[in-house]
Amino acid sequence: MNSKYFISLFTLVTFLICIYAYSPYIENYAVTPKWLGFALICIGLSFKKPKKTTFDLTHLIWGVFVLQFMVSALSSYNIWDSLIRTTPLILAPIAATLLFQKWHSIKRKFESIALLLTFCLVPLLIFAFIKIYFLWQLDDFNHNTTYQFAFNFGHRNQFAQFLTLSIPFFFLGLTETKTTWKKWVLLMTLGLTYILITLLMCRSVLLVIYVIYPLLIFLYYLQVIKKISLKLFISFFLPLLLISLVFVLTNPFHFSWIDRLFETNFGSGNERLRIWTNTFAIIQENPIFGVGSGDWKIEILKTPLAFTQAEDSLVFFQRAHNDFIQIAAENGLVGLTILLLFFFFVFRKLLKTDLKPSVKYSIAGGMLGFILIANFSFPFEKIELLFLLLFLIQFIPGKPLQIDGKILSICRLMLSIIFLVTSLYWYQLEAQYFTFKQYQKIQILKSLNQTFYSIDPTGMPVHWYLGNDLYQRQHYKAANKEFKTALKHNPYHVHILNNIGSTYLNLNEIDSAKVSYQKALIINPIFTETLMNYAALEFNNGNIDGALDKILKVRIDKEPQNYKTYATAIGQVKMAWLIELWDEEGFENFLIAHYKQEEFAYEIAINARKTGASYEDELRLYYAKENK
């Protein structure tokens, strides 16, 4: 087969995998199928001997980073879950390197690559615009509805990021092609991509496409077209840039979309600031080697998460939404330093190379875009995003290290086979777990390999589900054992600590139950389920003030269905106890007249939570108002 057709076919399939691979039978529908596709691509490419062996200092540094990541995973609470996360870190660079080796000697390679990417993306672009048109017609196109545009990327933001990192390839194709119709095709694709990214309203990529890319394009034309001078830049482009920045930052006409872009007091902006602050606290605990690969989602639970979606312990953050901060937390300053060295030497290599300006600026744009995205998202986890970056930087020539090409080829092939097998097995486990979640059949979960698949995509250990099943069937000792096993995989999960407390309570081990409830409330002082359970424990053991202390901490807007019953019963006993305690005729008669009224007892509980006063103080305030 002609070498250009061979590599074009493999590149086309790789792009199709990046954009369209998915499976409806697993929760990570946009992740594991792409791992499998990339593993097959790597194996297929490994059998054709390359004309050029590529392995320089940047490849070595990346390998050291991955090795350190894997070593760090060995100290994780969930070793296999952490190790499997190295899949994109290994398969993406292998695929990028093998594809580059085949493209290296082909003329007009960037034109061909850009057209292949265009062929794959255009159907999705057209479909997205049709969908936007109908939403617009229904007057239903807004920031919230843009989240429908996840397609096979898992999230709208990842789709926007893929489009953004595709732009350098389109620009390279435009600058290299000599054919008019190809220029028009690439130019139209580039324009449509820009428009769609803008409509998707993802803040991080808007910074890339409207700040980083335009600046680099201007510098490129400044270098290539001599007519554009520094004087023109100072007199026209610089004022235009400054006026645009002032307009966007001040928003004189109060455009709502500009307000949304820079608002940080709500939603993801506020949450990210808070979890980044908490992540720095995690880094300080283990600054050198980190807490272990994959453990950020566990360690973050012990930090204060008020005013975020996670404050009620119903939503659990899985990522810091800043890859560099998360790597510093999980892999320490050692891991972060190695990664930063990788980018440093890539940029150093790029600056020293004699590549054409179009290639140099395109690669710089792709790298800077990826780095900016990594400060607000998690592109290192997404194999399609990582592949676009690594494929682009392969075209920077470097000084190869003296390593036997055959050994390199064998290593790449073996790694590809290993990760094909592990990805297949992981897919099987994910499908098994997904079936359990769909049908809630505990036998499916019992047959799952709980050593390998120890924690689900939300951070909940699978042993917690097994414990819940035993608890519901009143096998409290066995349930307690399962919950304790779950706790080893996530020691700061309040649902696990709460359930351990409840098993102890049913086993009449009151002191142990209190300890577990207290641990849960140290992690999250407003966790409703534990507050309710602890209040019931204190009430049943005659500690009325202790029961009131817990029940009055339940937020009014988070009351469970049984709250009124609990609060009323505890309040009535408190009033009966006050009748016996105090010898104040007026106040005593007031309590006698009201303590059997359930609505009154509940009203006092509401008022006490609103004011922060004690139950007795609220009773006295009510009494004082009634006797004015």
Side-chain angles (χ1 to χ4, degrees), residues 224-241:
V224 173
I225 303 175
K226 305 302 181 184
K227 293 179 182 178
I228 299 181
S229 63
L230 183 62
K231 184 178 179 180
L232 181 61
F233 174 72
I234 294 172
S235 62
F236 179 72
F237 285 104
L238 187 58
L240 182 63
L241 179 63

Side-chain angles (χ1 to χ4, degrees), residues 452-466:
F452 200 78
Y453 195 89
S454 57
I455 193 167
D456 74 5
T458 69
M460 179 64 78
V462 294
H463 284 276
W464 183 81
Y465 298 101
L466 297 173

Side-chain angles (χ1 to χ4, degrees), residues 205-429:
V205 298
L206 290 177
L207 289 173
V208 177
I209 67 170
Y210 286 112
V211 179
I212 292 176
Y213 287 172
L215 181 60
L216 289 172
I217 289 172
F218 172 77
L219 292 174
Y220 164 70
Y221 279 106
L222 188 65
Q223 181 176 345
V224 173
I225 303 175
K226 305 302 181 184
K227 293 179 182 178
I228 299 181
S229 63
L230 183 62
K231 184 178 179 180
L232 181 61
F233 174 72
I234 294 172
S235 62
F236 179 72
F237 285 104
L238 187 58
L240 182 63
L241 179 63
L242 291 173
I243 291 169
S244 300
L245 285 173
V246 170
F247 177 82
V248 170
L249 292 174
T250 59
N251 193 14
F253 297 106
H254 305 289
F255 290 124
S256 59
W257 66 272
I258 294 179
D259 289 334
R260 285 196 298 270
L261 286 178
F262 293 97
E263 179 61 69
T264 59
N265 292 324
F266 73 97
S268 62
N270 169 59
E271 287 180 347
R272 290 180 193 184
L273 289 174
R274 291 179 184 278
I275 63 176
W276 290 346
T277 301
N278 293 1
T279 303
F280 283 118
I282 296 171
I283 293 170
Q284 291 172 8
E285 293 178 9
N286 297 278
I288 306 302
F289 297 107
V291 297
S293 298
D295 280 354
W296 179 90
K297 61 178 177 275
I298 293 171
E299 296 292 331
I300 198 68
L301 295 177
K302 66 182 181 183
T303 66
L305 294 169
F307 307 108
T308 71
Q309 293 181 71
E311 67 179 354
D312 299 315
S313 295
L314 299 175
V315 173
F316 300 94
F317 296 124
Q318 300 302 303
R319 303 168 187 87
H321 283 269
N322 183 314
D323 271 344
F324 296 109
I325 294 176
Q326 184 162 332
I327 287 168
E330 293 185 346
N331 308 112
L333 295 178
V334 173
L336 180 61
T337 301
I338 297 170
L339 182 61
L340 293 178
L341 280 174
F342 168 76
F343 283 108
F344 170 78
F345 280 103
V346 171
F347 273 115
R348 182 170 173 266
K349 187 169 65 166
L350 181 62
L351 291 172
K352 287 186 172 184
T353 186
D354 58 353
L355 286 169
K356 292 190 299 184
S358 60
V359 180
K360 186 177 288 189
Y361 283 106
S362 295
I363 295 173
M367 289 181 63
L368 291 172
F370 186 94
I371 290 169
L372 191 146
I373 289 168
N375 277 280
F376 297 95
S377 189
F378 42 94
F380 284 97
E381 282 189 28
K382 308 298 286 186
I383 196 168
E384 64 274 22
L385 302 180
L386 192 56
F387 166 73
L388 289 181
L389 168 74
L390 297 177
F391 187 37
L392 197 60
I393 65 179
Q394 291 299 317
F395 293 96
I396 309 173
K399 185 179 179 181
L401 300 175
Q402 297 299 314
I403 297 177
D404 191 319
K406 288 184 179 179
I407 294 175
L408 274 177
S409 297
I410 292 171
C411 288
R412 286 167 180 155
L413 177 60
M414 292 303 297
L415 283 171
S416 301
I417 293 171
I418 289 169
F419 278 92
L420 174 63
V421 173
T422 55
S423 297
L424 276 170
Y425 186 52
W426 190 256
Y427 179 88
Q428 178 189 336
L429 294 174

Side-chain angles (χ1 to χ4, degrees), residues 62 103 117 125 127 176 211 299 359 391 408 431 483 486 510 529 593 602:
W62 183 267
W103 278 110
L117 183 55
L125 293 176
F127 179 75
E176 187 176 75
V211 179
E299 296 292 331
V359 180
F391 187 37
L408 274 177
F483 289 138
I510 304 303
E529 194 172 341
Y602 178 59

Side-chain angles (χ1 to χ4, degrees), residues 422-627:
T422 55
S423 297
L424 276 170
Y425 186 52
W426 190 256
Y427 179 88
Q428 178 189 336
L429 294 174
E430 285 186 311
Q432 198 172 342
Y433 176 78
F434 186 73
T435 305
F436 157 71
K437 291 292 285 184
Q438 274 190 314
Y439 300 106
Q440 293 296 311
K441 293 182 178 179
I442 200 66
Q443 292 302 323
I444 297 173
L445 195 64
K446 286 179 179 178
S447 64
L448 188 71
N449 185 335
Q450 295 145 24
T451 300
F452 200 78
Y453 195 89
S454 57
I455 193 167
D456 74 5
T458 69
M460 179 64 78
V462 294
H463 284 276
W464 183 81
Y465 298 101
L466 297 173
N468 273 351
D469 175 69
L470 291 165
Y471 184 88
Q472 289 167 7
R473 291 189 285 123
Q474 299 182 358
H475 300 317
Y476 299 120
K477 273 194 175 181
N480 184 273
K481 184 179 178 181
E482 290 291 349
F483 289 138
K484 285 183 176 178
T485 302
L487 197 65
K488 293 177 182 177
H489 294 289
N490 195 337
Y492 308 113
H493 206 300
V494 291
H495 286 271
I496 302 172
L497 289 164
N498 175 75
N499 288 14
I500 290 174
S502 296
T503 56
Y504 278 130
L505 183 60
N506 282 281
L507 292 169
N508 204 33
E509 297 182 33
I510 304 303
D511 290 339
S512 295
K514 286 183 178 180
V515 169
S516 290
Y517 289 147
Q518 287 163 5
K519 286 180 179 178
L521 293 176
I522 288 171
I523 294 169
N524 187 351
I526 61 168
F527 182 46
T528 300
E529 194 172 341
T530 297
L531 288 171
M532 295 293 292
N533 289 337
Y534 204 171
L537 182 153
E538 296 283 31
F539 180 71
N540 292 332
N541 283 274
N543 184 359
I544 305 305
D545 286 334
L548 276 173
D549 176 66
K550 305 301 179 298
I551 205 76
L552 294 180
K553 286 178 181 175
V554 176
R555 285 168 45 182
I556 294 173
D557 61 330
K558 301 295 180 183
E559 286 184 8
Q561 288 184 346
N562 59 347
Y563 181 84
K564 186 176 181 180
T565 303
Y566 277 48
T568 299
I570 297 169
Q572 287 176 323
V573 173
K574 175 67 175 180
M575 285 187 278
W577 182 75
L578 288 172
I579 291 169
E580 295 294 326
L581 178 66
W582 298 110
D583 191 17
E584 301 175 34
E585 185 176 352
F587 185 54
E588 185 177 355
N589 290 334
F590 165 77
L591 292 174
I592 291 171
H594 288 87
Y595 89 99
K596 288 186 178 180
Q597 299 174 11
E598 293 184 358
E599 289 298 328
F600 174 75
Y602 178 59
E603 183 181 350
I604 297 299
I606 292 175
N607 293 340
R609 284 178 291 164
K610 285 181 177 178
T611 62
S614 69
Y615 199 85
E616 182 179 346
D617 287 343
E618 279 299 328
L619 285 168
R620 289 186 178 278
L621 284 170
Y622 201 100
Y623 168 67
K625 289 178 183 177
E626 199 173 80
N627 287 275

